[in-house]
Amino acid sequence: MGSLGFARDDRRIGAALVALLLLSTPALAVNPDEMLKDPAQEHRARELGKDLRCLVCQNQSIDDSDADLAKDLRVIVRERIAKGDSDDQVRAFVVDRYGDYVLLKPPFKATTLALWLGPLGLFLGAVWAVLAFYRRRPGEKTTPPPPPLSAEEQRKLDKLLKESER
Amino acid sequence: MRRLLYILPVAVFAILALFFLKGLTLNPRDIPSVLINRPVPEMALAPLPGRGETSGLTTQSLKGRVSLVNIYGSWCISCVQEHPVLMEIKKRGDVPIHAVDWRDDPVLGAAWLKKNGDPYERVGIDPPPGRTAVDFGVTGAPESFIVDRDGIIRYKHVGPISKEIWAKTLLPIIRELEKK
């Protein structure tokens, strides 16, 4: 930008940065050396990994997380799959050690009813409230009309109106 | 009846607010263990070199006495914080402490104990992928488990053990279990 020929340098640096950004791909937590040889099994492992919570980060799946424990769990999940476990068996293996907390999608059971049905209940309650608000029951009086003006009040009003017309 | 209708939204909000306020006081790291009242996982961990042990930590070695099983690693920062408390426990002979050196280079693990003191009776090494730690449902280090005479896990403490936690929570549980 200056008169000393920096402008060209700036532009070069900018171009280099853009090139670098274009070259980069999103980083994967799953390392190639962890992967199973069988693509179908590896795909199952990836799908399972998306459902399992990383216990360190707590809001990432083990498939996304770079934490060591997430890596360990990815390796163990793949071991179970290679041994011939079904998806449910792998899930049960992890839940057996970490509890339902490890499942990013909470299971539907007695203890989680409020979690699953609570929002629906709130929504239905809101719908009911809206309906109740707009539904005027027959015979139900709305605000009564104000009583008619007395002769005195009417005279005052006429006077005021006349004055304002002038 | 009408008045009740007007109070309802406020009541719903108040109930939700109570839940959220409660949530603010909880420690998200404190995940209740599903292993309480279940036997210690099957394990046969190799000993940590340089401690003169011929066998490390096995399921069998946790039977017969109430003990504390501590998950540590030389890489673990909070472990440094609880270490003096563990040394104190060893000095007083409150309860035998065993350790799982988790995801660690055994050489570093042993050097760490040489430097900071060795409060442990048995130490087993659990290299990546840390199968034993996963069997214990470990989410980080340090973590400590109280194991009763029959090798049943009775309590889990997440994070460093402070003097206060030891005296007020863990030791009473251990004493209670020793009476049985």
Side-chain angles (χ1 to χ4, degrees):
Chain A
M1 291 290 287
S3 53
L4 295 165
F6 285 134
R8 200 181 303 158
D9 279 351
D10 280 352
R11 207 168 302 159
R12 265 196 208 142
I13 291 166
L17 277 177
V18 168
L20 270 176
L21 283 173
L22 287 173
L23 278 172
S24 64
T25 51
L28 276 177
V30 183
N31 278 320
D33 62 347
E34 295 172 14
M35 292 182 184
L36 293 166
K37 285 192 183 67
D38 177 351
Q41 284 190 340
E42 177 59 28
H43 179 73
R44 278 177 53 208
R46 293 295 305 266
E47 289 305 309
L48 271 168
K50 285 184 189 134
D51 289 346
L52 297 172
R53 186 190 301 272
C54 163
L55 281 304
V56 181
C57 336
Q58 301 197 338
N59 282 320
Q60 261 187 316
S61 70
I62 60 167
D63 197 57
D64 287 331
S65 171
D66 283 317
D68 287 335
L69 181 60
K71 183 186 163 78
D72 288 349
L73 282 170
R74 284 197 300 267
V75 169
I76 288 168
V77 160
R78 279 163 179 74
E79 274 172 11
R80 309 293 315 176
I81 288 176
K83 269 192 193 137
D85 272 15
S86 72
D87 290 6
D88 283 343
Q89 279 171 315
V90 175
R91 253 186 231 111
F93 176 91
V94 183
V95 167
D96 220 29
R97 282 149 182 77
Y98 289 102
D100 285 336
Y101 176 76
V102 78
L103 300 171
L104 281 166
K105 188 177 168 188
F108 189 79
K109 54 196 220 187
T111 47
T112 57
L113 273 184
L115 187 68
W116 281 98
L117 301 179
L120 184 70
L122 279 177
F123 176 72
L124 291 178
V127 169
W128 173 80
V130 169
L131 287 178
F133 181 78
Y134 283 112
R135 199 180 45 202
R136 293 260 183 270
R137 261 178 258 134
E140 199 182 356
K141 284 271 192 291
T142 47
T143 358
L149 298 175
S150 66
E152 176 65 17
E153 284 166 335
Q154 189 64 51
R155 236 192 356 262
K156 268 188 187 169
L157 177 65
D158 289 344
K159 199 173 153 207
L160 281 168
L161 284 170
K162 257 194 196 120
E163 274 176 19
S164 64
E165 271 167 20
R166 260 182 232 148
Chain B
M1 189 62 219
R2 270 227 94 89
R3 177 160 313 168
L4 211 67
L5 261 184
Y6 289 125
I7 293 171
L8 196 68
V10 182
V12 168
F13 173 79
I15 291 164
L16 278 177
L18 277 177
F19 272 101
F20 292 147
L21 280 171
K22 176 89 183 83
L24 284 176
T25 65
L26 297 175
N27 172 12
R29 291 266 157 233
D30 223 346
I31 303 156
S33 174
V34 286
L35 285 128
I36 305 302
N37 299 333
R38 286 198 347 215
V40 165
E42 282 302 315
M43 59 179 172
L45 301 178
L48 191 65
R51 290 183 79 253
E53 270 187 297
T54 45
S55 67
L57 197 62
T58 62
T59 313
Q60 208 47 46
S61 61
L62 291 175
K63 286 178 183 163
R65 290 177 302 169
V66 177
S67 61
L68 189 75
V69 176
N70 180 244
I71 312 286
Y72 92 102
S74 65
W75 47 268
C76 154
I77 298 158
S78 322
C79 294
V80 180
Q81 203 182 330
E82 75 170 356
H83 207 70
V85 181
L86 298 182
M87 292 304 288
E88 191 77 9
I89 294 165
K90 183 194 160 95
K91 207 168 83 188
R92 281 201 307 265
D94 285 343
V95 69
I97 314 174
H98 306 295
V100 175
D101 187 12
W102 180 40
R103 289 195 118 265
D104 206 358
D105 174 345
V107 176
L108 294 177
W112 193 86
L113 290 181
K114 274 211 171 65
K115 189 176 124 213
N116 299 304
D118 187 340
Y120 302 125
E121 202 161 295
R122 287 170 170 275
V123 180
I125 52 178
D126 189 26
R131 276 173 244 281
T132 295
V134 168
D135 285 344
F136 267 101
V138 166
T139 60
E143 275 185 19
S144 309
F145 296 84
I146 296 174
V147 179
D148 75 2
R149 239 183 239 112
D150 308 318
I152 311 283
I153 296 170
R154 293 298 183 187
Y155 191 82
K156 172 186 180 176
H157 177 74
V158 175
I161 298 174
S162 66
K163 274 192 171 139
E164 194 185 11
I165 289 163
W166 177 252
K168 287 194 175 150
T169 312
L170 301 180
L171 192 57
I173 293 170
I174 288 167
R175 290 289 175 255
E176 200 53 45
L177 289 169
E178 281 169 341
K179 277 183 206 157
K180 280 177 191 160

